[in-house]
Coordinates of all heavy atoms in Angstrom, one line a residue:
T12 N 11.3 -16.6 -0.3 CA 10.0 -17.0 -0.6 C 9.1 -16.5 0.5 O 9.4 -16.1 1.5 CB 9.9 -18.6 -0.6 OG1 10.3 -19.0 0.6 CG2 10.8 -19.2 -1.7
G13 N 7.7 -16.5 0.1 CA 6.8 -16.0 1.0 C 5.4 -15.9 0.3 O 5.3 -16.4 -0.8
P14 N 4.5 -15.2 0.9 CA 3.2 -15.1 0.3 C 3.3 -14.4 -1.1 O 4.1 -13.5 -1.3 CB 2.3 -14.2 1.2 CG 3.2 -14.3 2.5 CD 4.6 -14.5 2.1
V15 N 2.4 -14.9 -2.1 CA 2.4 -14.3 -3.4 C 1.2 -13.4 -3.5 O 0.1 -13.6 -3.1 CB 2.3 -15.5 -4.4 CG1 2.1 -14.8 -5.8 CG2 3.4 -16.4 -4.4
E16 N 1.6 -12.1 -3.9 CA 0.5 -11.1 -4.1 C 0.3 -10.9 -5.6 O 0.8 -9.9 -6.2 CB 1.0 -9.8 -3.5 CG 0.9 -9.9 -2.0 CD -0.4 -9.3 -1.4 OE1 -1.0 -8.3 -2.0 OE2 -0.9 -9.9 -0.5
A17 N -0.4 -11.9 -6.3 CA -0.6 -11.7 -7.7 C -1.5 -10.4 -7.9 O -2.4 -10.2 -7.1 CB -1.2 -12.9 -8.3
E18 N -1.3 -9.7 -9.0 CA -2.2 -8.7 -9.4 C -2.1 -7.5 -8.5 O -3.0 -6.5 -8.6 CB -3.7 -9.2 -9.6 CG -4.8 -8.2 -9.9 CD -4.5 -7.6 -11.4 OE1 -3.9 -8.4 -12.3 OE2 -4.7 -6.4 -11.6
D19 N -1.2 -7.4 -7.5 CA -1.1 -6.2 -6.7 C 0.3 -5.6 -6.7 O 1.1 -6.0 -6.1 CB -1.5 -6.8 -5.2 CG -1.8 -5.6 -4.3 OD1 -1.8 -4.5 -4.8 OD2 -2.2 -5.9 -3.1
A20 N 0.3 -4.6 -7.4 CA 1.7 -3.9 -7.6 C 1.4 -2.4 -7.2 O 1.8 -1.5 -7.9 CB 2.2 -4.0 -9.0
T21 N 0.8 -2.2 -6.1 CA 0.3 -0.8 -5.7 C 1.3 -0.1 -4.8 O 1.1 1.1 -4.6 CB -1.1 -0.8 -5.1 OG1 -0.9 -1.6 -3.9 CG2 -2.1 -1.4 -6.1
G22 N 2.2 -0.8 -4.2 CA 3.0 -0.2 -3.2 C 4.4 0.3 -3.8 O 4.6 0.3 -4.9
A23 N 5.4 0.6 -3.0 CA 6.7 0.9 -3.3 C 7.7 0.4 -2.4 O 7.2 -0.2 -1.3 CB 6.8 2.5 -3.3
A24 N 8.9 0.4 -2.7 CA 9.8 -0.2 -1.8 C 9.9 0.8 -0.7 O 10.1 2.0 -0.8 CB 11.3 -0.3 -2.5
V25 N 9.7 0.4 0.6 CA 9.6 1.1 1.8 C 10.7 0.6 2.8 O 10.7 -0.7 3.0 CB 8.2 1.1 2.3 CG1 8.0 1.9 3.6 CG2 7.3 1.7 1.2
D26 N 11.3 1.5 3.5 CA 12.1 1.1 4.5 C 11.4 1.3 6.0 O 11.3 2.5 6.4 CB 13.4 2.0 4.6 CG 14.4 1.7 5.7 OD1 14.2 0.6 6.4 OD2 15.3 2.4 5.9
F27 N 10.7 0.3 6.4 CA 9.8 0.4 7.6 C 10.6 0.5 8.9 O 10.3 1.1 9.8 CB 8.8 -0.8 7.8 CG 7.7 -0.8 6.8 CD1 7.6 -1.7 5.8 CD2 6.7 0.1 7.0 CE1 6.5 -1.8 4.9 CE2 5.7 0.1 6.0 CZ 5.6 -0.8 5.0
D28 N 11.9 0.0 8.9 CA 12.6 -0.1 10.1 C 13.8 0.8 10.2 O 14.6 0.8 11.1 CB 13.1 -1.6 10.5 CG 14.1 -2.1 9.3 OD1 14.3 -1.3 8.3 OD2 14.4 -3.3 9.4
G29 N 13.9 1.7 9.1 CA 14.8 2.7 9.2 C 16.4 2.4 9.0 O 17.2 3.1 9.3
D30 N 16.6 1.2 8.4 CA 18.0 0.8 8.3 C 18.6 1.1 6.9 O 19.7 0.7 6.6 CB 18.2 -0.7 8.6 CG 17.3 -1.6 7.6 OD1 16.8 -1.0 6.7 OD2 17.6 -2.8 7.8
G31 N 17.8 1.7 6.0 CA 18.2 2.1 4.7 C 18.0 1.0 3.7 O 18.4 1.3 2.5
K32 N 17.4 0.0 4.0 CA 17.2 -1.1 3.1 C 15.6 -1.2 2.9 O 14.9 -1.2 3.9 CB 17.8 -2.4 3.6 CG 19.3 -2.4 3.7 CD 19.8 -3.6 4.4 CE 21.4 -3.3 4.7 NZ 21.8 -4.4 5.4
A33 N 15.2 -1.6 1.7 CA 13.8 -1.8 1.4 C 13.3 -3.1 2.1 O 14.0 -4.1 2.2 CB 13.6 -2.0 -0.1
D34 N 12.1 -3.0 2.6 CA 11.4 -4.0 3.5 C 10.1 -4.3 2.7 O 9.6 -3.6 1.8 CB 11.1 -3.6 4.8 CG 12.3 -3.1 5.6 OD1 13.3 -3.9 5.5 OD2 12.3 -2.1 6.2
L35 N 9.6 -5.5 3.0 CA 8.4 -5.9 2.3 C 7.4 -6.3 3.4 O 7.7 -6.6 4.6 CB 8.6 -7.2 1.5 CG 9.7 -7.2 0.4 CD1 9.9 -8.6 -0.1 CD2 9.1 -6.3 -0.8
V36 N 6.0 -6.3 3.1 CA 5.0 -6.8 3.9 C 4.1 -7.7 3.1 O 4.0 -7.7 1.8 CB 4.1 -5.7 4.6 CG1 4.9 -4.9 5.7 CG2 3.5 -4.8 3.6
G37 N 3.5 -8.8 3.7 CA 2.8 -9.7 3.0 C 1.8 -10.4 3.9 O 2.0 -10.5 5.2
V38 N 0.7 -10.8 3.4 CA -0.4 -11.5 4.1 C -0.5 -12.9 3.7 O -0.6 -13.1 2.5 CB -1.7 -10.7 4.0 CG1 -2.8 -11.5 4.7 CG2 -1.7 -9.3 4.4
S39 N -0.3 -13.8 4.6 CA -0.5 -15.3 4.3 C -1.9 -15.7 4.3 O -2.8 -14.8 4.6 CB 0.2 -16.1 5.4 OG 1.5 -15.8 5.5

Side-chain angles (χ1 to χ4, degrees):
T12 59
V15 175
E16 285 268 325
E18 182 58 36
D19 196 359
T21 62
V25 175
D26 180 10
F27 285 113
D28 60 4
D30 66 356
K32 299 174 184 174
D34 303 312
L35 303 171
V36 292
V38 178
S39 299

